Amino acid sequence: MGLAKPDPDPLQDYCVADTKSSLYLNGAPCLSPTLASSSNFTTSALAEPGDTKANQFGFGVTLTTLANLPGMNTMARVDIAGNGLVPPHSHPRASVVTICLQGVILVGFVDTSNRLLTQRLKPGDSFVFPRGLIHFLYNTDPRKPASAVSGLSSRNPGAQIASRAAFVSSPPIPDVVLEKAFQISPQDVAKIRRNLGA
Amino acid sequence: MGLAKPDPDPLQDYCVADTKSSLYLNGAPCLSPTLASSSNFTTSALAEPGDTKANQFGFGVTLTTLANLPGMNTMARVDIAGNGLVPPHSHPRASVVTICLQGVILVGFVDTSNRLLTQRLKPGDSFVFPRGLIHFLYNTDPRKPASAVSGLSSRNPGAQIASRAAFVSSPPIPDVVLEKAFQISPQDVAKIRRNLGA
Amino acid sequence: MGLAKPDPDPLQDYCVADTKSSLYLNGAPCLSPTLASSSNFTTSALAEPGDTKANQFGFGVTLTTLANLPGMNTMARVDIAGNGLVPPHSHPRASVVTICLQGVILVGFVDTSNRLLTQRLKPGDSFVFPRGLIHFLYNTDPRKPASAVSGLSSRNPGAQIASRAAFVSSPPIPDVVLEKAFQISPQDVAKIRRNLGA
Amino acid sequence: MGLAKPDPDPLQDYCVADTKSSLYLNGAPCLSPTLASSSNFTTSALAEPGDTKANQFGFGVTLTTLANLPGMNTMARVDIAGNGLVPPHSHPRASVVTICLQGVILVGFVDTSNRLLTQRLKPGDSFVFPRGLIHFLYNTDPRKPASAVSGLSSRNPGAQIASRAAFVSSPPIPDVVLEKAFQISPQDVAKIRRNLGA
Amino acid sequence: MGLAKPDPDPLQDYCVADTKSSLYLNGAPCLSPTLASSSNFTTSALAEPGDTKANQFGFGVTLTTLANLPGMNTMARVDIAGNGLVPPHSHPRASVVTICLQGVILVGFVDTSNRLLTQRLKPGDSFVFPRGLIHFLYNTDPRKPASAVSGLSSRNPGAQIASRAAFVSSPPIPDVVLEKAFQISPQDVAKIRRNLGA
Amino acid sequence: MGLAKPDPDPLQDYCVADTKSSLYLNGAPCLSPTLASSSNFTTSALAEPGDTKANQFGFGVTLTTLANLPGMNTMARVDIAGNGLVPPHSHPRASVVTICLQGVILVGFVDTSNRLLTQRLKPGDSFVFPRGLIHFLYNTDPRKPASAVSGLSSRNPGAQIASRAAFVSSPPIPDVVLEKAFQISPQDVAKIRRNLGA
C-alpha cells in the first residue's frame, strides 16, 4: 500500500507545539524541550462521543490536534448516529486507517480510475483510505449509533467534504461552473446550495 | 507555499521506465542506464491541442506520462473550448503550477476551510493549485479557445473529478449516501447520474 | 511533535502487496491495480483479543501487516493481562499513537536525555511514543485485562525489546559486553539469559 | 525518471511566505492563513520576455519566486536571443521540465558517466533535465529569438553556471586549482577570468 | 541498504544555525546567508581524543554539532580505552557508518528478529549500523586504545544507551516494569541501578 | 545546515543489495533478509590508499559501494599526492562531510551566489560540502601525500567533474556552446579537450 507521509522528518526527540507563538511556520514552533512534560503527550479528548447532531449529516468527529495534544500525530474518534453519514470527503495530506468499534459501518473510497472499493465493517474490522481520495462512512442501521477510531498519517491532515467544497464555499464557485460540472440547472444549483446551508 | 512532493528520492541520475516490464512497483522498473538515449528525455506529445470535444465539459488535457516520455516529471497541456470547463477536481499526489498561454481563464481552488481562492488569468499569468484540493479552470469567453501549460509535482499525480467520482463511479456509491451528502432527492441523484453518463 | 515517517511516498493510488512474489524490495511488489478488490483494504485480524499467555510478560499484540491486510498502514491491537507488561521496547521506523479502550495502563517513554515521560491512561485517553525511543505499557490492575489500539507511522515499524535484544539475541552478545553495559556479574548475565528463555 | 524533490512536505493547505519577516529558516515563515488572498497565488511576472542583453550569453530567465509569487513552486520563462546560450549550469535542488514555445533550441545534459544526452526542440517539444546535472540550452538560429517555459521541482532550486563558478567566484578559486582542473596555463586562467568579467 | 534519512530537505544552499536564537524549531533558525563564513563549515573539534575516563565504560565520543560546527551533518570521533566499551545503544534518527582507524574493535548490532550481526574491525575496516537498532563497539585489547570515525545520517541523531535508559532514567521506570522485563528480583534492580550510578 | 538526503526511507531493518539481479530499480533489489550475514555489513575496501597516479590530477578516491559493501551508505577514502588535486566537482545526490587524516588540504566550495567558502584543513579538521555545489580539495604540500575520510549522504551520490563534463563528454558538447560559456576561442576549446584526454 503506498501510504502517504506528508510530514517533515524530525530532528528532535519531540517538538511540543508552542501554541502561544504568533509565528506561522510549516507546522509550529516548539516549546523548549526542557519545558515538555508528560501531559504534553496525553489527552482525554477522545474519551467522550462527538456530537452527532451538530450537522445535518449525523456524524461527529473528534481529532487530536496541536491544541489538545501538542506532540501528537492525529488520531480521530468518529461517532455516527443511526443512518448518519460521514459524507464523501478527502484528506489532502493523509491516508487513514479506521477500526470499527461499535455498530455496522458501510465504507468506501473511489480511486482515480473512478472505481469504488467498498466494505461493510463490523466491530473489530479495519479499513484503509488512501491519501487524497474521496471516501465515506455510512451507518446502515437506522436505530443504533456506530463508532470508530482512525489513525491519520499527518499531524494536520485537512479534510474537504466534496459537496460542501463545491456548493457552499466562500465566496461561492460561480454557478456556471457547477451547472456544467454536475450537469444540473441553475435552479438545482440554488436548491443544493440552500439545502447545504449556504 | 507548502507544495507537495510525493515521489521517492532518486538514487540514480535517471530511471527511464521500462514500460514493457510486467512488474508492478511503486513507480516502474528502469531500463538499464546503458540503454537510455536522448529520445527518452524528449516528447512532442504536447505539440498539438487536445480534443476539447471528447467530453461534455469542453476540455482536453494532454499529459506527459511514463508511456510518451519515459524519464519525465509531469507537464500538461490544457486546451479549453469557448465556455469550456475543466470541472472541479483534485490531484491526490501533486500540486500544480499553471501558466495561461492563450485566452482568459477563470481559475480557483477551495481550501480546507471552504474558502475559494480565485483569479482571472490572461496570457502570461500563472497560478498555483495546492496538492489534494479541489480546483477548476473555466474559459469565460464563449467564442475563443484558451490554453495553458501546467507543471505537476509528481510523475503520477492522479486526478479525481469531484462530480464524476461521486455520481458515476463503478460500482456506484449507494444512492442514500449521495442524497444525504448533497441533500437532494432520489430523483435528483438519478438525473445527475444520467446526465453525467452513468 | 516531530513524528516519524519512514515510508517512501506513493506514486499510485495504492499498491496492494503481491505477497506471492519472490522479489525482495524496500517494501513489496504490487499486484496489478486491476486485480485489487475491496477485500485488499479490509481485515478482521484485530477483532479478537491477542493471546496474553504466549509470552512470560502477559501481553498479546496483533498487527495488521502486508500479509493480513495487503494495502495498509499499521494498526495494532494490544491486549495486556492483569499486571501484564509490554516490556520496554522501541520501533526503529515508527512513532505510535495509542488509545486506551479498556482498563488502566501505565505508559511511559525515555527520551535521549534519559528523562522518563509517563502517564496513567484510562479508557478514552491517548498517548504518543516518538520514533525510536524505548517505551512500555503496564497494566497496573492485577485482576482486570486492559486493551488499547495503536496507530503506527510505517507499514513495517519493526520492534526491538531492549531486554531480549541485549540478553537473548542469536548469536548472543558477548558476556563481557553485557557485564560492562549493565555493571553485573557473569553469574547475573547467565541468570538473566536463562530467565528470558535463551 | 527519478526526479528530485528537495522541499519539505507541507503541513498546511498552503504557506504564503511572509517576505517581511527577518527570520531565516529553511524556507520562509508563513503569513497567517487568514491573511492569504487570491493574489498570493498568481503572478504576471512571466508575461513579458526577459532581457536577453543583460549578460554576455544572450539569455534572460525570469523566475517566479517567493517575492513575486509568495505561495508558489518555481516556474521559469526562458528567453534566448539569436544564437544566444543558457550556458552549462546545474540546479543543486531541482530537476527541470522545459517546453519549447518559440524557435529551435538545442538542449543537452551530461550524466555522471560523462555521457551527453542532447536534443533539438521545436515549439511544443519538451525535455527533462535531472537534478544536479550540468545542462545547457542553445538557440541555433542566429536571427530569431527562442523561448521556453520550465517547471522546477523546488521553490528555491538554485543555479550554478559551471564556467562562472569556476572562474569568477568571490574570492577566486586559486589559479593552480583551475590550471590543473582544466589543464591550462596561468595565462589562460587569467584570460578566461577577464573575459567572464572577473 | 535501507539507510535512514531523518532530516528535512534543504531549500537553501546551506543553513548555518543561529545558535543564539531563542526560537525552538525542528532544527534551528538560520543565520542570514550573507553572514555565513568559511569558519561555519569547518571544525577542529574532532582533532583531539575524547576523554575515555569520563564514564565507567571507558569510551569517549566527540560529535560535531550545531554548536561546534553550525552548518554540518554529524561526524563523530570514537575513542575507546583498552577493554573499553561503547555500550549497547541506538540512534532514533540516524544510521551510522564507522571506519576503524586504530586498534581492533568488535562491533555488532541486533536486528528486529533478534539476530546479532557482528564483526571484528581492524584499521581501515568499515561497518554500518542501521537506524534505530541496538549496537555496540568493544575494544578487545586490554592494553591498547582504539579509535574510529563515524558518519551519521542526521544533524541530530540522538543516542539512547539501553541499560541506562532502562535503569537510570529520571524519574525512574517503576521497579516492577524492570523486574518483569529483565526477569530479575527487586534486589537485582536496586543493584543495577546503583552500579550504573542512579 | 540544510543537508541533502536523496535516498528513499527504509521499510526494513536493512536491504542487502542483490548484486546479481538483472532488475534495474531506483536502488537495487534486496537479498532475502534470511540470507544476510555480518560480512554484508563490513568491508576492507578503504584499508589501502587509492592510486593517485591513475589520473592526471593526482588523486585516488575509493568508495564503499553496493558492490564492495552491499548494505551501506557511502563512505569514501580520499588520497591526494603532493600538489595533487581533486578537481572542482559536484555530487547531484549527496552532501559530504570530510575529515582530514594526514597532510594539509585546501578545500572550498562555491555557492549559488558565486561565493567561495574555503579552508585549510589539518589532520583532525572537518569540513562540509553542501549537496550539488562545485567543490575541490587541493594538497598544498608538493612533497607529502594527504588523505581524508568522507561521509556522503546517499548510497549513490554520483560525481560530476566540471571541467571533464564540459570538455570531454561523449558525444562532445558542441564547440560553440563551450566558446560562449567560457568565452574562449575554438583553438582554446580544442586545446583543453586535448589536454583533458578527449
Side-chain angles (χ1 to χ4, degrees):
Chain A
M1 175 69 221
L3 285 179
K5 34 135 222 175
D7 296 4
D9 277 305
L11 278 169
Q12 301 157 198
D13 283 1
Y14 39 77
C15 163
V16 175
D18 178 357
T19 53
K20 291 189 190 115
S21 168
S22 63
L23 192 65
Y24 288 84
L25 299 170
N26 187 32
C30 321
L31 284 181
S32 162
T34 58
L35 298 179
S37 69
S38 296
S39 65
N40 296 134
F41 296 88
T42 195
T43 185
S44 300
L46 306 188
E48 295 303 315
D51 179 5
T52 61
K53 290 180 181 149
N55 58 59
Q56 62 193 150
F57 305 113
F59 75 94
V61 170
T62 315
L63 294 173
T64 60
T65 65
L66 291 177
N68 63 22
L69 186 54
M72 267 209 63
N73 205 338
T74 303
M75 184 163 267
R77 174 189 177 127
V78 184
D79 292 283
I80 317 179
N83 270 359
L85 172 74
V86 184
H89 67 286
S90 58
H91 303 286
R93 289 179 297 280
S95 58
V96 186
V97 184
T98 294
I99 181 165
C100 176
L101 295 184
Q102 175 193 20
V104 175
I105 308 178
L106 179 75
V107 299
F109 72 86
V110 181
D111 70 17
T112 59
S113 305
N114 242 17
R115 239 179 6 134
L116 175 69
L117 293 111
T118 185
Q119 194 77 13
R120 186 174 296 271
L121 304 183
K122 300 181 305 301
D125 291 349
S126 301
F127 198 83
V128 65
F129 304 108
R131 182 177 63 175
L133 298 182
I134 287 177
H135 59 284
F136 63 90
L137 302 91
Y138 179 56
N139 178 355
T140 55
D141 190 316
R143 279 156 317 212
K144 289 189 197 144
S147 68
V149 165
S150 295
L152 292 97
S153 65
S154 170
R155 280 171 278 170
N156 190 2
Q160 188 163 58
I161 297 180
S163 55
R164 293 186 61 83
F167 287 92
V168 293
S169 71
S170 166
I173 290 179
D175 281 20
V176 63
V177 167
L178 298 173
E179 293 163 25
K180 282 178 179 284
F182 289 88
Q183 298 284 312
I184 53 179
S185 69
Q187 292 75 17
D188 287 336
V189 171
K191 185 179 67 178
I192 297 176
R193 287 199 198 276
R194 205 166 46 237
N195 288 351
L196 285 170
Chain B
M1 175 67 226
L3 285 180
K5 34 135 224 176
D7 296 3
D9 278 305
L11 278 170
Q12 300 157 199
D13 283 0
Y14 39 78
C15 163
V16 176
D18 178 357
T19 53
K20 292 191 189 114
S21 167
S22 64
L23 192 64
Y24 288 84
L25 300 170
N26 187 29
C30 321
L31 284 181
S32 163
T34 59
L35 297 180
S37 69
S38 295
S39 65
N40 295 134
F41 295 87
T42 195
T43 184
S44 300
L46 306 187
E48 296 302 317
D51 179 4
T52 61
K53 292 183 179 145
N55 58 60
Q56 61 192 151
F57 304 113
F59 75 95
V61 170
T62 316
L63 293 173
T64 60
T65 65
L66 291 177
N68 64 23
L69 186 55
M72 265 210 63
N73 205 337
T74 303
M75 186 163 264
R77 172 189 179 129
V78 183
D79 292 283
I80 317 178
N83 272 357
L85 172 73
V86 184
H89 67 287
S90 59
H91 304 286
R93 289 179 298 280
S95 58
V96 186
V97 184
T98 294
I99 181 166
C100 175
L101 296 183
Q102 177 194 18
V104 175
I105 309 178
L106 180 75
V107 299
F109 71 86
V110 181
D111 71 17
T112 59
S113 305
N114 241 18
R115 251 197 336 152
L116 174 69
L117 292 110
T118 184
Q119 194 77 12
R120 186 173 297 271
L121 304 183
K122 300 183 302 302
D125 290 349
S126 301
F127 198 83
V128 65
F129 303 109
R131 182 177 63 176
L133 298 182
I134 288 178
H135 59 283
F136 63 89
L137 302 93
Y138 179 56
N139 178 354
T140 55
D141 190 317
R143 279 156 316 214
K144 289 189 196 146
S147 66
V149 165
S150 294
L152 292 97
S153 66
S154 169
R155 280 171 278 170
N156 189 3
Q160 188 164 58
I161 297 179
S163 55
R164 294 186 60 84
F167 288 93
V168 293
S169 70
S170 166
I173 290 178
D175 281 20
V176 63
V177 167
L178 299 172
E179 292 163 24
K180 282 177 179 283
F182 288 88
Q183 298 285 311
I184 53 179
S185 68
Q187 292 75 17
D188 287 335
V189 171
K191 185 178 67 178
I192 296 176
R193 287 198 197 277
R194 204 166 48 235
N195 288 350
L196 284 170
Chain C
M1 177 67 224
L3 286 178
K5 33 137 224 175
D7 295 3
D9 278 304
L11 278 169
Q12 301 157 198
D13 283 0
Y14 40 77
C15 163
V16 176
D18 178 358
T19 52
K20 292 190 189 114
S21 169
S22 63
L23 193 64
Y24 287 85
L25 300 170
N26 187 29
C30 321
L31 284 181
S32 162
T34 59
L35 297 179
S37 70
S38 296
S39 65
N40 295 132
F41 296 87
T42 196
T43 184
S44 300
L46 307 187
E48 296 302 317
D51 178 5
T52 60
K53 292 182 180 145
N55 56 60
Q56 62 193 149
F57 305 111
F59 75 94
V61 170
T62 316
L63 294 173
T64 60
T65 64
L66 291 177
N68 64 22
L69 185 55
M72 265 209 65
N73 204 339
T74 303
M75 186 163 264
R77 173 189 179 127
V78 183
D79 291 283
I80 316 179
N83 270 359
L85 172 72
V86 184
H89 66 288
S90 59
H91 303 287
R93 289 179 299 279
S95 59
V96 186
V97 184
T98 294
I99 181 165
C100 176
L101 296 183
Q102 178 194 16
V104 175
I105 308 178
L106 179 75
V107 299
F109 71 87
V110 180
D111 70 17
T112 58
S113 305
N114 240 18
R115 239 179 6 133
L116 173 70
L117 292 110
T118 183
Q119 194 76 13
R120 185 173 297 272
L121 304 183
K122 300 182 304 302
D125 291 348
S126 302
F127 198 83
V128 65
F129 304 107
R131 182 178 61 177
L133 297 182
I134 288 178
H135 59 283
F136 64 88
L137 302 91
Y138 179 57
N139 179 354
T140 54
D141 190 317
R143 281 155 316 213
K144 290 189 196 145
S147 67
V149 165
S150 295
L152 292 97
S153 65
S154 169
R155 279 171 279 169
N156 189 3
Q160 188 163 57
I161 296 179
S163 55
R164 295 186 58 82
F167 287 92
V168 292
S169 70
S170 165
I173 290 179
D175 281 19
V176 62
V177 168
L178 298 173
E179 291 162 25
K180 283 177 177 282
F182 289 88
Q183 299 284 313
I184 53 180
S185 69
Q187 291 75 16
D188 287 335
V189 171
K191 183 179 68 176
I192 297 177
R193 287 197 198 278
R194 203 167 48 237
N195 288 352
L196 286 170
Chain D
M1 177 67 225
L3 285 179
K5 34 134 223 177
D7 295 4
D9 277 304
L11 278 169
Q12 301 158 196
D13 283 0
Y14 40 78
C15 164
V16 176
D18 178 357
T19 52
K20 292 191 188 112
S21 169
S22 64
L23 192 65
Y24 288 85
L25 299 169
N26 187 29
C30 320
L31 284 181
S32 162
T34 59
L35 297 180
S37 70
S38 296
S39 66
N40 295 133
F41 296 87
T42 195
T43 186
S44 300
L46 307 187
E48 297 303 316
D51 179 4
T52 61
K53 292 181 179 147
N55 57 60
Q56 63 193 148
F57 305 112
F59 75 94
V61 170
T62 317
L63 293 173
T64 61
T65 64
L66 291 177
N68 63 23
L69 185 54
M72 266 208 64
N73 204 336
T74 303
M75 185 163 267
R77 173 190 178 128
V78 184
D79 291 283
I80 317 178
N83 271 358
L85 171 74
V86 184
H89 66 287
S90 58
H91 303 287
R93 290 179 298 279
S95 58
V96 186
V97 184
T98 294
I99 180 165
C100 176
L101 296 183
Q102 178 194 15
V104 175
I105 308 179
L106 179 75
V107 299
F109 72 87
V110 181
D111 70 16
T112 59
S113 305
N114 241 18
R115 245 190 347 146
L116 174 70
L117 293 110
T118 184
Q119 194 76 13
R120 184 172 297 270
L121 303 184
K122 299 181 305 303
D125 290 350
S126 301
F127 198 84
V128 65
F129 303 108
R131 181 176 63 176
L133 297 182
I134 287 178
H135 59 285
F136 63 89
L137 302 91
Y138 179 56
N139 178 355
T140 55
D141 190 318
R143 279 155 316 211
K144 290 190 196 144
S147 66
V149 165
S150 295
L152 292 97
S153 66
S154 170
R155 279 171 279 169
N156 189 3
Q160 188 163 58
I161 297 181
S163 54
R164 294 186 60 83
F167 287 91
V168 292
S169 69
S170 166
I173 290 178
D175 282 19
V176 62
V177 168
L178 297 173
E179 291 162 27
K180 283 179 177 283
F182 289 88
Q183 299 284 312
I184 54 180
S185 68
Q187 291 75 16
D188 287 335
V189 171
K191 184 179 67 177
I192 297 177
R193 287 199 198 276
R194 204 166 47 235
N195 288 351
L196 285 169
Chain E
M1 177 69 223
L3 285 179
K5 33 138 223 173
D7 295 4
D9 278 304
L11 278 169
Q12 300 156 199
D13 283 0
Y14 40 78
C15 163
V16 176
D18 179 358
T19 52
K20 292 190 189 113
S21 169
S22 64
L23 193 65
Y24 287 85
L25 299 170
N26 187 29
C30 320
L31 285 181
S32 161
T34 59
L35 298 180
S37 70
S38 296
S39 65
N40 295 134
F41 296 88
T42 196
T43 186
S44 301
L46 307 187
E48 296 302 317
D51 178 5
T52 60
K53 291 180 180 148
N55 57 59
Q56 62 193 151
F57 305 113
F59 74 94
V61 170
T62 316
L63 293 173
T64 61
T65 65
L66 291 177
N68 63 22
L69 185 55
M72 267 210 62
N73 206 336
T74 303
M75 185 163 265
R77 173 189 177 127
V78 184
D79 291 284
I80 316 178
N83 270 359
L85 171 73
V86 184
H89 66 288
S90 59
H91 304 286
R93 290 180 297 280
S95 58
V96 187
V97 185
T98 294
I99 181 166
C100 176
L101 296 184
Q102 177 192 18
V104 175
I105 308 178
L106 179 74
V107 300
F109 71 88
V110 181
D111 70 18
T112 59
S113 304
N114 241 17
R115 253 201 328 156
L116 174 70
L117 293 110
T118 184
Q119 194 75 14
R120 185 173 298 269
L121 304 184
K122 299 181 304 303
D125 290 349
S126 302
F127 198 83
V128 65
F129 303 108
R131 182 177 63 177
L133 298 181
I134 287 177
H135 59 284
F136 63 89
L137 301 92
Y138 179 57
N139 179 353
T140 54
D141 190 317
R143 280 156 314 213
K144 290 190 196 144
S147 66
V149 165
S150 295
L152 293 97
S153 65
S154 169
R155 278 171 279 168
N156 190 2
Q160 189 163 58
I161 297 180
S163 55
R164 294 185 60 82
F167 286 92
V168 291
S169 69
S170 164
I173 291 178
D175 281 19
V176 63
V177 167
L178 297 173
E179 293 162 23
K180 283 178 177 282
F182 289 88
Q183 299 285 313
I184 53 181
S185 69
Q187 292 75 16
D188 288 335
V189 170
K191 184 180 67 176
I192 297 177
R193 286 196 199 279
R194 204 168 46 236
N195 287 350
L196 285 170
Chain F
M1 176 68 222
L3 285 180
K5 35 135 225 174
D7 295 4
D9 278 305
L11 278 169
Q12 301 157 196
D13 283 1
Y14 40 77
C15 163
V16 175
D18 178 357
T19 52
K20 292 191 189 113
S21 168
S22 64
L23 193 65
Y24 288 85
L25 300 170
N26 187 30
C30 321
L31 285 181
S32 163
T34 58
L35 298 179
S37 70
S38 296
S39 65
N40 295 133
F41 296 87
T42 195
T43 185
S44 300
L46 306 188
E48 296 303 316
D51 178 4
T52 61
K53 292 183 180 145
N55 56 59
Q56 61 193 151
F57 305 112
F59 74 94
V61 170
T62 316
L63 294 172
T64 61
T65 65
L66 292 177
N68 63 21
L69 185 55
M72 267 209 62
N73 206 339
T74 302
M75 186 163 265
R77 174 192 177 125
V78 184
D79 291 283
I80 317 178
N83 270 357
L85 172 74
V86 183
H89 66 287
S90 59
H91 303 287
R93 289 180 298 279
S95 58
V96 186
V97 185
T98 294
I99 181 165
C100 176
L101 296 183
Q102 176 194 19
V104 174
I105 309 178
L106 179 75
V107 299
F109 70 88
V110 181
D111 71 16
T112 60
S113 304
N114 241 18
R115 243 184 357 138
L116 174 70
L117 293 109
T118 184
Q119 195 76 12
R120 185 173 297 270
L121 303 183
K122 299 182 304 301
D125 290 348
S126 302
F127 199 83
V128 65
F129 304 107
R131 181 178 63 176
L133 298 181
I134 288 177
H135 59 284
F136 64 88
L137 302 92
Y138 179 56
N139 178 355
T140 54
D141 189 318
R143 280 156 315 213
K144 290 190 197 145
S147 67
V149 165
S150 296
L152 292 96
S153 65
S154 170
R155 280 171 278 168
N156 190 3
Q160 189 164 57
I161 296 180
S163 54
R164 294 186 60 82
F167 287 92
V168 292
S169 70
S170 165
I173 290 179
D175 281 20
V176 62
V177 167
L178 298 173
E179 293 163 25
K180 283 178 179 283
F182 289 88
Q183 298 284 313
I184 52 179
S185 68
Q187 291 75 16
D188 287 335
V189 170
K191 184 179 66 177
I192 297 176
R193 287 197 198 279
R194 205 167 45 236
N195 288 350
L196 285 169

